[in-house]
Amino acid sequence: MSEPRDPVADLRRIAFLLERAHESTYRVRAFRGAASVLRRKPAEELARLAESGELVRLKGVGEVTARCVEESLTGEEPVYLRRLRATEDTPLDEAAMILREALRGDCHSHTDASDGGSPLAEMVETAIELGHDYLVITDHSPRLTVANGLSADRLRAQLDQIAALNQALDGRFRVLTGIEVDILDDGALDQEAELLDRLDVVVASVHSKLRMAKPEMTARMLAAVANPLVDVLGHCTGRMVTGRRKRPESEFDAPEVFAACAENGVAVEINSRPERLDPPKRLLRLAVEAGCEFTIDTDAHAPGQLDWLDNGVTRAVACEVDPAKVRNTWAADDLVAAHA
């Protein structure tokens, strides 16, 4: 009999690969939930429960997850995990790999404090495993109630939570404070200015009235970009290109908005979510021509989605984005200094 594997690590890896493949949330929760239950059990107890067939008696452990644990404890890679690993993505080409390896973190991610699926600690643990130096937590602002946006008080509480986590990490990794703040109809920002000023990174995005007339949308975005508290313009067209939520691009004067981004030191986000892939390549090339800086972000709402950076990297290379102009190739201190 082979040496036992770590069943909790195998369950977490399965959940990660399901998230990265954008599989159903309920499937992911089955594996993350089981991992959470089992990581609190001593190895000897897990072995005993597996041998007696009693794993399924634990709340949160089903037949499929129990089978994976049993296989793992015999030293065998679970069949479920092996099948997922067999369908992993194809490797990046050389230019994309160089840019991917230069990325030091992710500037746009969500936790279960707003509309993400996992707690802060789980997102950070996965970012560390992926080799990041830092992760910016950018949960939504209050007006986006459908996404459980954070009130000022809830955001302050999250800042305290992040400070405590950074202290525990003791310099091995850095969690940066942030927000994805709603751009209101008039271009104002949906959070207290004093609080936005305290954050490390502010991503500003349009989430409402996406079909606003082009002149009004342009004015709205220009007002937001001119705000000195804004660091990144998030998913600028708001489009959705796959799934049930397909949505056309918002209309705005792209050359004017990108010129304003370059003038005001606001990075244009290259959003790596498969259903967004925003901005489209034709607009990304305009932003390059305008001299913009960029961030390549996952907009992750689950730990496995933190591995979506390849999507943005591939499009950045195709549009000849200069790696030196990608802010998340910078060290954390330099990224924070850009907000100051």
Side-chain angles (χ1 to χ4, degrees):
M1 179 174 169
S2 303
E3 285 294 313
R5 294 166 60 91
D6 181 344
V8 171
D10 282 343
L11 291 175
R12 290 185 67 245
R13 185 63 184 174
I14 290 169
F16 174 90
L17 292 173
L18 288 171
E19 288 164 344
R20 192 174 70 173
H22 220 180
E23 294 287 350
S24 301
T25 302
Y26 80 90
R27 295 177 66 194
V28 174
R29 285 177 178 164
F31 289 95
R32 286 214 178 275
S36 180
V37 169
L38 296 178
R39 78 191 312 173
R40 298 193 292 268
K41 301 289 184 184
E44 299 79 13
E45 184 178 354
L46 285 186
R48 178 180 60 77
L49 291 171
E51 187 175 353
S52 63
E54 294 180 296
L55 281 170
V56 291
R57 301 178 99 180
L58 296 174
K59 186 177 180 181
V61 179
E63 291 185 6
V64 174
T65 51
R67 189 181 314 121
C68 291
V69 172
E70 291 163 1
E71 292 167 346
S72 186
L73 288 172
T74 65
E76 177 187 354
E77 182 179 41
V79 172
Y80 202 112
L81 175 56
R82 193 160 64 243
R83 287 173 180 165
L84 287 173
R85 286 167 57 84
T87 59
E88 289 192 69
D89 295 337
T90 55
L92 297 171
D93 64 26
E94 184 177 359
M97 182 59 74
I98 290 171
L99 176 55
R100 176 66 185 86
E101 291 178 350
L103 296 182
R104 304 179 71 167
D106 194 330
C107 296
H108 188 167
S109 69
H110 297 271
T111 74
D112 61 0
S114 64
D115 62 343
S118 290
L120 171 65
E122 184 73 34
M123 296 294 288
V124 170
E125 185 176 0
T126 299
I128 293 171
E129 291 168 351
L130 286 170
H132 291 358
D133 294 337
Y134 54 82
L135 178 67
V136 187
I137 302 299
T138 54
D139 281 313
H140 289 285
S141 61
R143 193 180 75 161
L144 206 62
T145 54
V146 69
N148 192 29
L150 274 62
S151 66
D153 286 343
R154 290 179 63 218
L155 179 54
R156 289 188 181 95
Q158 185 181 72
L159 300 187
D160 292 340
Q161 184 185 11
I162 289 173
L165 182 53
N166 276 324
Q167 188 171 11
L169 289 166
D170 195 27
R172 295 180 291 110
F173 181 86
R174 190 162 169 191
V175 187
L176 299 181
T177 60
I179 190 171
E180 184 180 15
V181 64
D182 240 24
I183 299 174
L184 303 178
D185 297 356
D186 61 356
L189 304 180
D190 179 38
Q191 190 49 275
E192 297 175 8
E194 175 273 332
L195 195 47
L196 293 176
D197 194 37
R198 286 179 55 189
L199 302 176
D200 295 323
V201 177
V202 172
V203 178
S205 306
V206 173
H207 288 105
S208 62
K209 296 188 179 178
L210 294 167
R211 306 312 301 149
M212 184 179 279
K214 182 175 181 177
E216 286 79 5
M217 182 63 84
T218 300
R220 178 183 184 182
M221 296 174 75
L222 289 173
V225 164
N227 191 313
L229 296 172
V230 172
D231 301 303
V232 181
L233 177 62
H235 49 67
C236 62
T237 77
R239 73 174 186 171
M240 294 285 188
V241 295
T242 63
R244 292 174 295 177
R245 296 174 59 202
K246 286 185 180 177
R247 186 166 65 208
E249 301 166 20
S250 295
E251 295 186 4
F252 59 94
D253 187 325
E256 188 175 1
V257 168
F258 293 148
C261 286
E263 180 180 351
N264 290 283
V266 173
V268 174
E269 178 184 67
I270 302 173
N271 191 290
S272 300
R273 290 193 69 84
E275 74 271 31
R276 286 192 182 276
L277 299 180
D278 201 0
K281 288 180 182 177
R282 74 179 194 287
L283 295 188
L284 183 49
R285 292 187 180 97
L286 286 178
V288 171
E289 291 170 7
C292 292
E293 292 180 333
F294 300 91
T295 60
I296 300 175
D297 301 326
T298 60
D299 192 358
H301 286 64
Q305 296 175 7
L306 288 168
D307 204 25
W308 280 347
L309 286 171
D310 289 5
N311 296 334
V313 163
T314 300
R315 297 172 62 251
V317 168
C319 295
E320 300 184 333
V321 171
D322 181 354
K325 285 185 171 288
V326 179
R327 288 190 183 178
N328 44 326
T329 65
W330 303 355
D333 284 343
D334 295 329
L335 192 63
V336 172
H339 179 70

